[in-house]
C-alpha cells in the first residue's frame, strides 16, 4: 500500500466558510469535474445523513501498461463521500471511489480530508490518500506507485481548485 499526504492552508477563511463553499451543495464538485476532469455531466447527490455520491468519467493518466490491463482510456467512477463533524470547527470527509471496469476490485484508493482551524484565522486542509493494488508482488509496487502518482495529481488539482473557489467566494 502507498500512502501520501497533501496539505493546503486557506488564509482568511473559516472551516464553516470552507464547508459552505466546497461541500454544502453540488455546485463546487460539478464545476470541478466540468473544468478539470472535462466531464460536464458529473452528478452529485444531496447529502443524506452525512453521505453522498459523486459520479463522473475520468481519463486515465497512467502508463500504457496499466491502460492495457484496464482496457480503456477513461473509466466511470462513483465516489462515496462520508461527512463527519468533530464539533463546530472541524470536519472530515472520507472519499471512496469505486471504479467501473473488469477487475477494478483489485485497485482501491481511499482519501480522508480533514478541515480544521489553521493559524491566523485560516483553515488547514489535510488530505491523506492510500492506494492499494491486489496483484502479484513483482507488479504491485509499480502499479501502486502509478496509482499514487495519479492520486497525488488529482488531489493536488482538487486542492488548488478549492483555493480558487475560496478566493472567489472571498472577493
Amino acid at each position: 500500500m502507498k500512502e501520501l499526504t497533501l496539505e493546503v492552508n486557506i488564509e482568511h477563511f473559516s472551516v464553516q466558510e470552507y464547508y459552505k463553499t466546497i461541500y454544502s451543495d453540488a455546485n463546487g464538485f460539478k464545476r470541478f469535474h466540468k473544468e478539470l476532469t472535462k466531464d460536464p455531466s458529473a452528478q452529485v447527490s444531496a447529502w443524506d445523513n452525512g453521505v453522498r455520491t459523486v459520479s463522473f468519467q475520468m481519463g486515465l493518466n497512467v502508463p500504457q501498461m496499466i491502460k492495457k490491463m484496464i482496457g480503456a482510456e477513461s473509466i466511470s467512477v462513483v465516489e462515496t463521500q462520508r461527512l463527519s463533524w468533530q464539533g463546530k470547527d472541524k470536519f472530515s470527509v472520507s472519499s471512496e471511489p469505486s471504479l467501473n471496469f473488469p477487475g477494478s476490485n483489485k485497485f482501491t484508493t481511499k482519501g480522508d480530508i480533514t478541515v480544521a482551524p489553521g493559524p491566523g484565522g485560516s483553515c488547514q486542509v489535510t488530505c491523506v490518500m492510500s492506494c492499494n493494488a491486489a496483484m502479484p508482488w513483482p507488479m504491485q509496487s509499480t502499479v501502486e506507485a502509478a496509482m499514487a502518482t495519479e492520486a497525488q495529481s488529482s488531489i493536488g488539482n482538487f486542492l488548488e481548485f478549492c483555493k480558487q473557489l475560496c478566493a472567489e467566494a472571498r472577493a
Side-chain angles (χ1 to χ4, degrees):
M1 179 176 72
K2 298 276 185 197
E3 190 172 279
L4 59 109
T5 301
L6 293 168
E7 293 183 336
V8 67
N9 192 52
I10 311 290
E11 294 189 18
H12 312 295
F13 221 69
S14 72
V15 170
Q16 291 82 6
E17 289 170 316
Y18 189 86
Y19 172 78
K20 181 180 178 195
T21 303
I22 307 301
Y23 287 103
S24 67
D25 60 27
N27 295 331
F29 274 81
K30 283 186 174 185
R31 182 173 162 194
F32 170 75
H33 285 292
K34 182 178 180 180
E35 293 179 16
L36 273 78
T37 67
K38 307 300 184 210
D39 182 1
S41 61
Q43 299 293 312
V44 181
S45 72
W47 289 106
D48 183 12
N49 290 320
V51 179
R52 74 175 180 184
T53 58
V54 181
S55 303
F56 58 96
Q57 284 290 122
M58 179 179 76
L60 295 176
N61 185 24
V62 295
Q64 196 62 34
M65 170 190 82
I66 296 173
K67 286 182 184 178
K68 283 184 181 182
M69 287 176 11
I70 293 170
E73 293 289 321
S74 69
I75 55 174
S76 5
V77 179
V78 177
E79 174 187 3
T80 302
Q81 296 180 342
R82 289 180 175 75
L83 171 69
S84 171
W85 282 91
Q86 295 90 44
K88 64 179 183 170
D89 289 332
K90 182 178 179 181
F91 71 91
S92 298
V93 176
S94 71
S95 166
E96 295 184 36
S98 175
L99 310 178
N100 187 12
F101 62 88
S104 62
N105 60 332
K106 295 179 182 174
F107 306 95
T108 56
T109 304
K110 184 175 187 287
D112 291 303
I113 295 176
T114 301
V115 183
S122 65
C123 69
Q124 183 73 34
V125 183
T126 304
C127 180
V128 178
M129 298 288 297
S130 59
C131 304
N132 189 33
M135 310 188 78
W137 71 267
M139 294 178 64
Q140 183 176 11
S141 64
T142 300
V143 172
E144 286 177 351
M147 290 171 67
T149 298
E150 178 65 18
Q152 184 169 8
S153 173
S154 294
I155 197 64
N157 289 339
F158 174 71
L159 292 174
E160 285 302 313
F161 179 80
C162 291
K163 285 172 62 175
Q164 174 188 331
L165 282 184
C166 292
E168 291 172 11
R170 203 173 30 237

